Amino acid sequence: MLSSTNAITPGGYDRFRKYLQKVCGISLSDNKQYLVASRLGKLMEREGIDKIELLVDRLERGATASRLREEVINAMTTNETLWFRDTHPFTILKDRILPEFTKAPLRIWSAASSTGQEPYSISMVIEEFKASKPGALKAGEKIVATDICTNILKHAKQAEYDSLAIARGLGADMQRKYFDKINDSTWRVKPALTSRVEFRHLNLIESFSSLGKFDIIFCRNVLIYFTAETKQDILKRMHASLNPGGYLFLGGSEALSGLSSLFDIVQCHPGIVYRAK
């Protein structure tokens, strides 16, 4: 069993780091041996693998490589999220951006949807906007939500959350308005919200042109896990996926670098959003 960082040799860790970056873009720093040990220990024990080098061998050449790859990516993916995370992006969406799309079909992409809080928060914003602007968005709206983690996507599609998850960023009034109570500890997002959300499995380092064009992209708190080169490649391809004048939201600690020719910065006080040139 991979029970401690002592079980990870420098060479083995380096091999695993390179493999992980190759298959999903996640870039581990030099000192994440403990993270690897804690997240992969149970998987390796179940598979009868006691060294990280042997796991990489199986991932690259074994008969079960495809299944193991999915499980390793699921284990190594960080899925920290909450409702209306950081607040201001959703305020910007409702007050400044949605009014621009009242007459055309609206397509939004949540590019790292995790357990679903972001796309469902976006759907709530749309519902609130339509209530405040009767007749708005008559042409319809669609939210495409993607993530690399298959386990997380299954949870997101169910749209069911316990009381602890609900409390992370969501007020009681919104809970009553947009959720149906299943039992004393579980709530389900109402069909009016889930009906406009479509979940898909997607690896951002691979082509996403098949998703089509979007008016708005939320790609928040995921690019921090990639190298600078991979980040730039993803952002360039996201620009190509935006309609002219479309908007890109990034996380609070993320920013465009060297791509001013593709995006204009829109200051919103608080927060910023990027408009595709």
Side-chain angles (χ1 to χ4, degrees):
M1 177 184 177
L2 193 66
S3 58
S4 72
T5 56
N6 292 331
I8 308 177
T9 64
Y13 180 63
D14 188 56
R15 279 188 66 196
F16 179 75
R17 288 172 60 192
K18 290 178 179 177
Y19 174 82
L20 192 66
Q21 184 171 330
K22 179 180 71 174
V23 297
C24 67
I26 295 175
S27 178
L28 294 176
S29 59
D30 293 337
N31 59 349
K32 295 295 184 180
Q33 290 88 343
Y34 175 78
L35 178 69
V36 174
S38 63
R39 294 193 177 185
L40 297 183
K42 290 183 179 179
L43 181 154
M44 293 180 66
E45 182 179 25
R46 187 198 70 206
E47 296 293 324
I49 301 172
D50 61 359
K51 293 182 180 180
I52 193 71
E53 294 94 330
L54 298 179
L55 175 62
V56 178
D57 287 342
R58 289 267 296 273
L59 288 167
E60 292 179 336
R61 298 186 292 274
T64 58
S66 179
R67 173 183 61 81
L68 274 179
R69 170 183 167 176
E70 180 177 312
E71 291 191 54
V72 166
I73 291 175
N74 286 347
M76 293 303 302
T77 303
T78 300
N79 294 293
E80 175 65 21
T81 189
L82 65 158
W83 306 95
F84 298 98
R85 186 173 182 175
D86 299 326
T87 306
H88 61 263
F90 301 94
T91 302
I92 295 169
L93 176 65
K94 181 174 182 288
D95 295 341
R96 297 194 57 164
I97 297 180
L98 289 183
E100 297 182 18
F101 297 96
T102 55
K103 295 181 180 180
L106 177 67
R107 297 192 81 237
I108 300 176
W109 178 17
S110 171
S113 61
S114 188
T115 45
Q117 280 88 335
E118 181 175 88
Y120 292 137
S121 293
I122 294 170
S123 192
M124 290 181 209
V125 169
I126 291 174
E127 204 72 13
E128 293 283 301
F129 175 76
K130 293 174 73 172
S132 67
K133 304 282 186 182
L137 298 177
K138 283 185 176 180
E141 61 282 332
K142 187 71 175 180
I143 302 166
V144 178
T146 66
D147 203 278
I148 194 173
C149 182
T150 53
N151 289 341
I152 288 299
L153 283 172
K154 291 176 184 177
H155 179 81
K157 289 176 182 178
Q158 290 175 342
E160 296 180 4
Y161 302 89
D162 61 28
S163 299
L164 183 61
I166 290 283
R168 299 195 67 211
L170 198 70
D173 55 338
M174 295 290 278
Q175 179 178 350
R176 289 189 295 268
K177 192 173 185 179
Y178 292 121
F179 289 76
D180 292 319
K181 187 175 182 179
I182 298 176
N183 53 49
D184 289 341
S185 61
T186 308
W187 298 72
R188 180 183 292 122
V189 183
K190 286 183 178 291
L193 301 183
T194 60
S195 63
R196 64 169 63 98
V197 182
E198 175 189 354
F199 288 95
R200 296 193 195 180
H201 177 255
L202 181 73
N203 186 340
L204 285 176
I205 69 171
E206 297 174 354
S207 174
F208 42 73
S209 60
S210 62
L211 297 180
K213 292 281 191 174
F214 295 93
D215 302 296
I216 304 164
I217 297 176
F218 279 69
C219 183
R220 306 178 62 235
N221 308 300
V222 62
L223 296 179
I224 55 175
Y225 300 107
F226 299 143
T227 65
E229 181 181 4
T230 301
K231 174 182 173 180
Q232 284 229 338
D233 173 65
I234 291 171
L235 288 171
K236 288 177 181 178
R237 290 186 288 121
M238 284 190 168
H239 176 268
S241 294
L242 279 168
N243 290 319
Y247 292 93
L248 171 68
F249 286 90
L250 298 180
S253 61
E254 299 166 327
L256 297 179
S257 54
L259 295 176
S260 59
S261 63
L262 299 181
F263 294 92
D264 287 322
I265 298 176
V266 181
Q267 298 284 352
C268 299
H269 309 290
I272 62 174
V273 63
Y274 301 94
R275 183 189 290 121
K277 293 182 178 180

